[in-house]
Amino acid sequence: MIHHLSLGVRDLAASAAFYDGALGALGFRRVFEDDDAIGYGTVDDEDILCLKLRPDAVAPGAGFHLAFAAPGQAAVDAFHEAGLRAGGFDNGAAGLREEYGPTYYAAFLVDPDGHRVEAVFKGGPM
């Protein structure tokens, strides 16, 4: 249903460092970039998430977040650790979230611009 999603960011370099680390842990990479935008995905020139430099960017309010599928629990752990190292803020350490399902393993971060992001694996223990 969704082709891609764009996030406005105030500091493209800081956001790129965060998403390089956090999304890299999930198997995503930069698939294009120019002076004002960086796209992430798995196939060149086919972004799923695009960061767009916007000096007046404001993150959506409470209740909005992006959840990225992780290939396993170790990737969720790596997402959280890499995001923190790259300037993100903790919004929920990696762990089982049984309130969402018996195998819902997730971690939550806030990026440098205030966007709330999650990595989730629902396949059970590895």
Side-chain angles (χ1 to χ4, degrees):
M1 176 193 324
I2 296 174
H3 183 273
H4 72 273
L5 182 70
S6 295
L7 297 178
V9 300
R10 294 181 301 272
D11 182 335
L12 190 58
S15 292
F18 173 82
Y19 285 100
D20 285 351
L23 293 183
L26 303 178
F28 298 102
R29 62 180 174 82
R30 291 186 191 195
V31 295
F32 86 85
E33 62 184 294
D34 61 29
D35 291 341
D36 297 315
I38 298 173
Y40 291 88
T42 58
V43 177
D44 287 343
D45 296 321
E46 293 184 20
D47 61 309
I48 297 167
L49 176 69
C50 186
L51 306 178
K52 295 195 175 195
L53 180 61
R54 299 289 186 265
D56 59 348
V58 177
F64 179 86
H65 78 275
L66 298 176
F68 298 99
Q73 290 181 354
V76 172
D77 296 341
F79 162 88
H80 192 258
E81 293 166 12
L84 290 175
R85 279 194 313 271
F89 302 94
D90 180 45
N91 202 27
L96 191 60
R97 302 293 197 284
E98 291 181 330
E99 64 272 26
Y100 300 133
T103 61
Y104 197 106
Y105 191 87
F108 302 85
L109 293 166
V110 178
D111 80 4
D113 283 283
H115 299 103
R116 293 171 180 90
V117 294
E118 170 187 3
V120 61
F121 176 70
K122 293 171 57 174
M126 293 191 69

